[in-house]
Amino acid sequence: MGTWDIGPFDNDTAADFSYRVDKAPAEKKADVLLAAFGKVTGTGGDYLDSDLAAEAIASAALVAAQCPGGDPVTTAYGPKDPLPELPAGLRPTAVAALDRVLTEPSELLELWEEAHVEEWKTGVRRLRAVLAEA
């Protein structure tokens, strides 16, 4: 995975995911995000692939952007088209997905821990807090 910074869209996987979100019809965009969450939460205690985790984090950032206190997604690597109002029901699913990303065994968590980048975990926890409080 090509990664250039710690943000939700600062990697090749999330940038590619943004393209898939843009290609989905407006009425299906929430389904694309929900599917990304489901792939992560559906792993249970099995090893979580970093690509699935990166897509879930990008999805969570898109949901959090519509929450009070959420940061807008302004990066060139995020979706180009504005998202419709997303169902509030995505928020608890996003929280569960982020919890799974931050729980072993998680390849993305391991990669960031090997790099000693606590800021990445702080950013994911901030997304989680925005979603949980909304």
Side-chain angles (χ1 to χ4, degrees):
M1 172 176 77
T3 301
W4 50 90
D5 208 346
I6 62 170
F9 293 94
D10 294 340
N11 61 78
D12 290 335
T13 301
D16 291 344
F17 178 75
S18 294
Y19 179 77
R20 286 203 327 269
V21 172
D22 276 336
K23 290 298 172 194
E27 67 276 5
K28 296 289 185 187
K29 290 186 188 296
D31 294 338
V32 173
L33 305 182
L34 184 60
F37 298 142
K39 289 176 186 174
V40 167
T41 58
T43 63
D46 294 336
Y47 192 73
L48 176 59
D49 179 79
S50 65
D51 288 343
L52 297 179
E55 289 182 1
I57 292 169
S59 295
L62 294 171
V63 175
Q66 293 187 0
C67 295
D71 294 327
V73 176
T74 58
T75 177
Y77 302 104
K80 307 293 182 242
D81 301 327
L83 269 64
E85 186 68 29
L86 296 169
L90 285 177
R91 295 171 187 167
T93 308
V95 168
L98 293 178
D99 286 344
R100 177 61 190 94
V101 168
L102 292 173
T103 303
E104 294 286 348
S106 170
E107 182 180 23
L108 193 58
L109 176 62
E110 291 170 8
L111 291 170
W112 282 110
E113 286 179 342
E114 287 173 10
H116 305 289
V117 182
E118 188 64 31
E119 294 89 356
W120 174 80
K121 285 196 278 188
T122 299
V124 175
R125 288 181 186 129
R126 182 182 182 312
L127 276 178
R128 187 197 182 286
V130 166
L131 291 160
E133 291 171 10

Short mmCIF file of all heavy atoms in Angstrom, two decimals, residues 17-58:
data_model
loop_
_atom_site.label_atom_id
_atom_site.label_comp_id
_atom_site.label_asym_id
_atom_site.label_seq_id
_atom_site.Cartn_x
_atom_site.Cartn_y
_atom_site.Cartn_z
N PHE A 17 -10.78 3.74 -3.32
CA PHE A 17 -12.12 3.59 -2.75
C PHE A 17 -12.97 4.83 -3.07
O PHE A 17 -14.15 4.70 -3.39
CB PHE A 17 -12.02 3.37 -1.24
CG PHE A 17 -13.34 3.25 -0.57
CD1 PHE A 17 -14.10 2.10 -0.68
CD2 PHE A 17 -13.85 4.30 0.18
CE1 PHE A 17 -15.33 1.99 -0.07
CE2 PHE A 17 -15.08 4.21 0.80
CZ PHE A 17 -15.82 3.05 0.67
N SER A 18 -12.38 6.00 -2.99
CA SER A 18 -13.10 7.24 -3.31
C SER A 18 -13.66 7.19 -4.73
O SER A 18 -14.77 7.65 -4.98
CB SER A 18 -12.17 8.44 -3.17
OG SER A 18 -11.79 8.61 -1.84
N TYR A 19 -12.89 6.65 -5.63
CA TYR A 19 -13.35 6.50 -7.02
C TYR A 19 -14.58 5.61 -7.07
O TYR A 19 -15.55 5.90 -7.78
CB TYR A 19 -12.21 5.93 -7.88
CG TYR A 19 -12.58 5.72 -9.31
CD1 TYR A 19 -12.66 6.79 -10.20
CD2 TYR A 19 -12.87 4.44 -9.79
CE1 TYR A 19 -13.01 6.59 -11.53
CE2 TYR A 19 -13.21 4.25 -11.11
CZ TYR A 19 -13.28 5.32 -11.98
OH TYR A 19 -13.63 5.12 -13.29
N ARG A 20 -14.58 4.52 -6.30
CA ARG A 20 -15.75 3.62 -6.27
C ARG A 20 -16.96 4.34 -5.69
O ARG A 20 -18.09 4.14 -6.16
CB ARG A 20 -15.44 2.36 -5.47
CG ARG A 20 -14.54 1.41 -6.21
CD ARG A 20 -14.63 -0.04 -5.77
NE ARG A 20 -14.90 -0.32 -4.39
CZ ARG A 20 -13.97 -0.50 -3.45
NH1 ARG A 20 -12.69 -0.39 -3.75
NH2 ARG A 20 -14.32 -0.79 -2.23
N VAL A 21 -16.75 5.16 -4.69
CA VAL A 21 -17.86 5.93 -4.11
C VAL A 21 -18.41 6.87 -5.16
O VAL A 21 -19.63 6.99 -5.35
CB VAL A 21 -17.41 6.71 -2.85
CG1 VAL A 21 -18.49 7.66 -2.38
CG2 VAL A 21 -17.02 5.74 -1.74
N ASP A 22 -17.54 7.56 -5.89
CA ASP A 22 -17.99 8.49 -6.94
C ASP A 22 -18.78 7.77 -8.04
O ASP A 22 -19.73 8.32 -8.58
CB ASP A 22 -16.80 9.21 -7.57
CG ASP A 22 -16.37 10.43 -6.79
OD1 ASP A 22 -17.19 11.00 -6.05
OD2 ASP A 22 -15.19 10.83 -6.93
N LYS A 23 -18.38 6.56 -8.37
CA LYS A 23 -19.05 5.82 -9.46
C LYS A 23 -20.41 5.28 -9.06
O LYS A 23 -21.24 4.97 -9.92
CB LYS A 23 -18.16 4.67 -9.95
CG LYS A 23 -16.95 5.16 -10.70
CD LYS A 23 -17.38 5.92 -11.94
CE LYS A 23 -16.24 6.58 -12.63
NZ LYS A 23 -16.67 7.55 -13.61
N ALA A 24 -20.66 5.15 -7.77
CA ALA A 24 -21.96 4.63 -7.32
C ALA A 24 -23.04 5.69 -7.51
O ALA A 24 -22.79 6.88 -7.30
CB ALA A 24 -21.87 4.24 -5.84
N PRO A 25 -24.24 5.27 -7.90
CA PRO A 25 -25.35 6.23 -7.98
C PRO A 25 -25.62 6.83 -6.59
O PRO A 25 -25.34 6.20 -5.57
CB PRO A 25 -26.54 5.38 -8.44
CG PRO A 25 -25.99 4.07 -8.87
CD PRO A 25 -24.65 3.92 -8.24
N ALA A 26 -26.15 8.01 -6.57
CA ALA A 26 -26.38 8.73 -5.30
C ALA A 26 -27.13 7.86 -4.28
O ALA A 26 -26.77 7.84 -3.10
CB ALA A 26 -27.13 10.03 -5.56
N GLU A 27 -28.13 7.13 -4.74
CA GLU A 27 -28.93 6.33 -3.81
C GLU A 27 -28.20 5.08 -3.32
O GLU A 27 -28.67 4.39 -2.41
CB GLU A 27 -30.28 5.95 -4.44
CG GLU A 27 -30.19 5.00 -5.61
CD GLU A 27 -29.92 5.66 -6.96
OE1 GLU A 27 -29.70 6.88 -7.01
OE2 GLU A 27 -29.92 4.93 -7.98
N LYS A 28 -27.04 4.78 -3.87
CA LYS A 28 -26.27 3.59 -3.47
C LYS A 28 -24.98 3.94 -2.72
O LYS A 28 -24.28 3.05 -2.25
CB LYS A 28 -25.91 2.76 -4.71
CG LYS A 28 -27.10 2.19 -5.44
CD LYS A 28 -27.72 1.10 -4.62
CE LYS A 28 -28.85 0.44 -5.39
NZ LYS A 28 -29.58 -0.49 -4.56
N LYS A 29 -24.66 5.21 -2.59
CA LYS A 29 -23.40 5.59 -1.94
C LYS A 29 -23.34 5.11 -0.49
O LYS A 29 -22.31 4.62 -0.03
CB LYS A 29 -23.18 7.09 -2.04
CG LYS A 29 -22.87 7.53 -3.48
CD LYS A 29 -22.52 8.99 -3.56
CE LYS A 29 -22.41 9.48 -4.97
NZ LYS A 29 -21.38 8.91 -5.79
N ALA A 30 -24.43 5.24 0.24
CA ALA A 30 -24.46 4.76 1.63
C ALA A 30 -24.21 3.25 1.67
O ALA A 30 -23.54 2.75 2.59
CB ALA A 30 -25.78 5.11 2.30
N ASP A 31 -24.70 2.51 0.67
CA ASP A 31 -24.48 1.07 0.62
C ASP A 31 -23.01 0.73 0.43
O ASP A 31 -22.51 -0.26 0.98
CB ASP A 31 -25.31 0.44 -0.51
CG ASP A 31 -26.80 0.51 -0.28
OD1 ASP A 31 -27.22 0.65 0.89
OD2 ASP A 31 -27.54 0.45 -1.27
N VAL A 32 -22.30 1.55 -0.35
CA VAL A 32 -20.87 1.33 -0.56
C VAL A 32 -20.13 1.50 0.77
O VAL A 32 -19.25 0.69 1.11
CB VAL A 32 -20.32 2.30 -1.63
CG1 VAL A 32 -18.80 2.21 -1.74
CG2 VAL A 32 -20.96 2.02 -2.99
N LEU A 33 -20.50 2.53 1.53
CA LEU A 33 -19.86 2.76 2.83
C LEU A 33 -20.20 1.63 3.80
O LEU A 33 -19.32 1.11 4.50
CB LEU A 33 -20.30 4.10 3.41
CG LEU A 33 -20.08 5.34 2.53
CD1 LEU A 33 -20.52 6.58 3.28
CD2 LEU A 33 -18.67 5.45 2.05
N LEU A 34 -21.47 1.23 3.82
CA LEU A 34 -21.90 0.16 4.71
C LEU A 34 -21.17 -1.15 4.38
O LEU A 34 -20.77 -1.88 5.30
CB LEU A 34 -23.41 -0.03 4.60
CG LEU A 34 -24.04 -1.06 5.53
CD1 LEU A 34 -23.80 -0.70 6.99
CD2 LEU A 34 -25.53 -1.17 5.25
N ALA A 35 -20.96 -1.43 3.11
CA ALA A 35 -20.24 -2.64 2.72
C ALA A 35 -18.80 -2.61 3.22
O ALA A 35 -18.26 -3.63 3.67
CB ALA A 35 -20.28 -2.80 1.20
N ALA A 36 -18.17 -1.44 3.16
CA ALA A 36 -16.80 -1.31 3.67
C ALA A 36 -16.75 -1.59 5.17
O ALA A 36 -15.85 -2.28 5.65
CB ALA A 36 -16.24 0.08 3.36
N PHE A 37 -17.73 -1.09 5.90
CA PHE A 37 -17.79 -1.36 7.34
C PHE A 37 -18.02 -2.85 7.60
O PHE A 37 -17.41 -3.44 8.48
CB PHE A 37 -18.90 -0.54 8.02
CG PHE A 37 -18.72 0.94 7.93
CD1 PHE A 37 -19.82 1.76 7.74
CD2 PHE A 37 -17.47 1.53 8.04
CE1 PHE A 37 -19.68 3.14 7.67
CE2 PHE A 37 -17.30 2.91 7.97
CZ PHE A 37 -18.42 3.71 7.78
N GLY A 38 -18.93 -3.44 6.84
CA GLY A 38 -19.27 -4.85 7.02
C GLY A 38 -18.09 -5.78 6.77
O GLY A 38 -17.94 -6.81 7.45
N LYS A 39 -17.24 -5.45 5.81
CA LYS A 39 -16.07 -6.29 5.53
C LYS A 39 -15.11 -6.30 6.71
O LYS A 39 -14.41 -7.28 6.94
CB LYS A 39 -15.35 -5.79 4.28
CG LYS A 39 -16.11 -6.04 3.01
CD LYS A 39 -15.40 -5.43 1.82
CE LYS A 39 -16.23 -5.57 0.56
NZ LYS A 39 -15.60 -4.85 -0.57
N VAL A 40 -15.09 -5.22 7.46
CA VAL A 40 -14.20 -5.12 8.62
C VAL A 40 -14.84 -5.76 9.85
O VAL A 40 -14.21 -6.58 10.52
CB VAL A 40 -13.84 -3.64 8.89
CG1 VAL A 40 -13.19 -3.47 10.24
CG2 VAL A 40 -12.94 -3.12 7.79
N THR A 41 -16.08 -5.42 10.13
CA THR A 41 -16.72 -5.98 11.32
C THR A 41 -17.00 -7.47 11.16
O THR A 41 -17.10 -8.19 12.15
CB THR A 41 -18.03 -5.23 11.66
OG1 THR A 41 -18.91 -5.30 10.54
CG2 THR A 41 -17.74 -3.78 12.01
N GLY A 42 -17.10 -7.93 9.94
CA GLY A 42 -17.36 -9.34 9.68
C GLY A 42 -16.16 -10.25 9.88
O GLY A 42 -16.29 -11.46 9.80
N THR A 43 -15.00 -9.67 10.16
CA THR A 43 -13.81 -10.50 10.34
C THR A 43 -13.76 -11.15 11.72
O THR A 43 -12.99 -12.08 11.92
CB THR A 43 -12.51 -9.68 10.16
OG1 THR A 43 -12.45 -8.68 11.16
CG2 THR A 43 -12.40 -9.09 8.78
N GLY A 44 -14.58 -10.65 12.64
CA GLY A 44 -14.54 -11.20 14.00
C GLY A 44 -13.14 -11.07 14.56
O GLY A 44 -12.54 -10.01 14.52
N GLY A 45 -12.59 -12.16 15.03
CA GLY A 45 -11.23 -12.15 15.57
C GLY A 45 -10.19 -12.57 14.57
O GLY A 45 -9.02 -12.73 14.92
N ASP A 46 -10.59 -12.77 13.30
CA ASP A 46 -9.64 -13.14 12.26
C ASP A 46 -8.76 -11.96 11.89
O ASP A 46 -9.09 -10.80 12.16
CB ASP A 46 -10.37 -13.65 11.01
CG ASP A 46 -11.11 -14.95 11.25
OD1 ASP A 46 -10.74 -15.68 12.18
OD2 ASP A 46 -12.08 -15.21 10.52
N TYR A 47 -7.67 -12.25 11.23
CA TYR A 47 -6.72 -11.21 10.80
C TYR A 47 -7.41 -10.24 9.86
O TYR A 47 -8.08 -10.64 8.91
CB TYR A 47 -5.54 -11.88 10.10
CG TYR A 47 -4.37 -10.96 9.88
CD1 TYR A 47 -3.58 -10.57 10.96
CD2 TYR A 47 -4.06 -10.49 8.62
CE1 TYR A 47 -2.49 -9.74 10.77
CE2 TYR A 47 -2.97 -9.66 8.42
CZ TYR A 47 -2.19 -9.29 9.50
OH TYR A 47 -1.12 -8.46 9.31
N LEU A 48 -7.26 -8.94 10.11
CA LEU A 48 -7.88 -7.90 9.31
C LEU A 48 -6.87 -7.34 8.32
O LEU A 48 -5.84 -6.78 8.72
CB LEU A 48 -8.43 -6.78 10.21
CG LEU A 48 -9.03 -5.57 9.51
CD1 LEU A 48 -10.20 -5.97 8.61
CD2 LEU A 48 -9.46 -4.54 10.52
N ASP A 49 -7.14 -7.47 7.05
CA ASP A 49 -6.29 -6.97 5.97
C ASP A 49 -6.23 -5.44 5.99
O ASP A 49 -7.25 -4.78 6.23
CB ASP A 49 -6.85 -7.46 4.63
CG ASP A 49 -6.05 -6.98 3.45
OD1 ASP A 49 -4.98 -7.57 3.18
OD2 ASP A 49 -6.48 -6.00 2.81
N SER A 50 -5.07 -4.88 5.71
CA SER A 50 -4.89 -3.43 5.76
C SER A 50 -5.76 -2.70 4.74
O SER A 50 -6.23 -1.59 5.02
CB SER A 50 -3.42 -3.06 5.57
OG SER A 50 -2.98 -3.41 4.28
N ASP A 51 -5.99 -3.28 3.57
CA ASP A 51 -6.82 -2.61 2.57
C ASP A 51 -8.26 -2.46 3.05
O ASP A 51 -8.88 -1.41 2.85
CB ASP A 51 -6.78 -3.35 1.24
CG ASP A 51 -5.46 -3.20 0.51
OD1 ASP A 51 -4.68 -2.27 0.85
OD2 ASP A 51 -5.20 -4.00 -0.41
N LEU A 52 -8.79 -3.49 3.67
CA LEU A 52 -10.15 -3.41 4.20
C LEU A 52 -10.23 -2.35 5.29
O LEU A 52 -11.19 -1.58 5.36
CB LEU A 52 -10.60 -4.76 4.74
CG LEU A 52 -10.71 -5.91 3.74
CD1 LEU A 52 -11.13 -7.19 4.45
CD2 LEU A 52 -11.64 -5.57 2.61
N ALA A 53 -9.21 -2.30 6.13
CA ALA A 53 -9.18 -1.31 7.21
C ALA A 53 -9.10 0.10 6.65
O ALA A 53 -9.79 1.01 7.13
CB ALA A 53 -8.00 -1.59 8.14
N ALA A 54 -8.28 0.31 5.63
CA ALA A 54 -8.14 1.64 5.03
C ALA A 54 -9.45 2.11 4.41
O ALA A 54 -9.82 3.28 4.53
CB ALA A 54 -7.03 1.63 3.98
N GLU A 55 -10.18 1.20 3.78
CA GLU A 55 -11.48 1.56 3.20
C GLU A 55 -12.49 1.91 4.31
O GLU A 55 -13.28 2.85 4.16
CB GLU A 55 -12.01 0.43 2.33
CG GLU A 55 -11.24 0.27 1.05
CD GLU A 55 -11.78 -0.83 0.15
OE1 GLU A 55 -12.79 -1.49 0.52
OE2 GLU A 55 -11.19 -1.04 -0.92
N ALA A 56 -12.46 1.17 5.40
CA ALA A 56 -13.38 1.46 6.52
C ALA A 56 -13.07 2.82 7.14
O ALA A 56 -13.99 3.57 7.47
CB ALA A 56 -13.31 0.36 7.56
N ILE A 57 -11.81 3.15 7.27
CA ILE A 57 -11.44 4.46 7.83
C ILE A 57 -11.88 5.57 6.89
O ILE A 57 -12.43 6.59 7.34
CB ILE A 57 -9.93 4.53 8.11
CG1 ILE A 57 -9.58 3.58 9.25
CG2 ILE A 57 -9.49 5.95 8.44
CD1 ILE A 57 -8.09 3.37 9.44
N ALA A 58 -11.68 5.40 5.59
CA ALA A 58 -12.13 6.41 4.63
C ALA A 58 -13.65 6.56 4.69
O ALA A 58 -14.18 7.68 4.69
CB ALA A 58 -11.68 6.03 3.21
#
